[in-house]
Amino acid sequence: MQPRTSTSPDVPVDPARPAAEPLAGLRDDAWFEALFRAHATAVLRYLVRRGARGDAEDLAADVLVTAWRRRADVPLGAELPWLYRTAGFVLANHRRKGRPVPVGDVPDVAADDDPAELAVTDERVREVLGALSPRDRRVLLLNAWEGLTGDALADVLGISRGGADAALSRARARLRDAWADAPEE
């Protein structure tokens, strides 16, 4: 799904859906409350994992405000990928504003129930991920941390399903190569 020009260029829009669709009338407070309950934590974790720990709650709120404002553009059945893609745009805009986004602010003690945080504290994993291109890192982290595959991954990346599958396969191959080349601790 490619974003189309809109009054807010930082938010993905479904080009197959007319801009003034009456769907917004069906997406009322109850719809938004259900969306919030189902996905707010995932959006917050997405932002925290990308280094926006100090501003993650504000950024997540921005994403959810955008979802409410653009509710007619949120694809039915693919709400979370749309929110992740929007979060990526919100985070990119936040970074462009020049505010520091400290990647090193990851807690030393990870929660036992979150393998993603354990992976981030492992220096070798950080170094290997750092050796990859930003696109490969993004694809791998969307898959590993957010659990996105197939159509959902394609939606977040704004490419076709085949393109997403190929990008994930290539990123995994480059990760294997980088891991093999990384010095053991």
Side-chain angles (χ1 to χ4, degrees), residues 12 28 81 89 107 139 152 165:
D28 57 5
F89 288 123
V139 170
D165 291 343

Side-chain angles (χ1 to χ4, degrees), residues 45-107:
R45 290 171 65 101
Y46 174 95
L47 292 162
V48 167
R49 288 177 176 145
R50 279 145 187 87
R53 184 171 299 280
D55 297 318
E57 289 181 6
D58 291 337
L59 295 173
D62 289 347
V63 171
L64 292 164
V65 165
T66 301
W68 172 254
R69 197 177 66 242
R70 303 291 305 269
R71 61 191 174 272
D73 296 324
V74 179
L76 211 54
E79 292 87 354
L80 187 57
W82 189 93
L83 289 168
Y84 283 154
R85 186 152 191 228
T86 302
F89 288 123
V90 167
L91 183 58
N93 287 341
H94 173 72
R95 288 180 173 158
R96 275 193 294 272
K97 291 177 184 174
R99 295 183 210 158
V101 182
V103 176
D105 288 352
V106 177

Side-chain angles (χ1 to χ4, degrees), residues 2-77:
Q2 295 294 324
R4 73 170 182 238
T5 305
S6 68
T7 57
S8 181
D10 59 338
V11 178
V13 178
D14 183 352
R17 177 175 292 142
E21 185 175 338
L23 183 59
L26 300 174
R27 299 205 173 165
D28 57 5
D29 291 346
W31 171 84
F32 183 75
E33 287 175 25
L35 178 86
F36 183 89
R37 277 192 308 278
H39 304 302
T41 301
V43 170
L44 179 63
R45 290 171 65 101
Y46 174 95
L47 292 162
V48 167
R49 288 177 176 145
R50 279 145 187 87
R53 184 171 299 280
D55 297 318
E57 289 181 6
D58 291 337
L59 295 173
D62 289 347
V63 171
L64 292 164
V65 165
T66 301
W68 172 254
R69 197 177 66 242
R70 303 291 305 269
R71 61 191 174 272
D73 296 324
V74 179
L76 211 54

Side-chain angles (χ1 to χ4, degrees), residues 122-129 178-185:
D122 183 312
E123 192 59 35
R124 184 171 182 216
V125 171
R126 290 173 64 117
E127 288 174 10
V128 169
L129 284 173
W179 188 264
D181 294 342
E184 296 273 342
E185 291 181 8

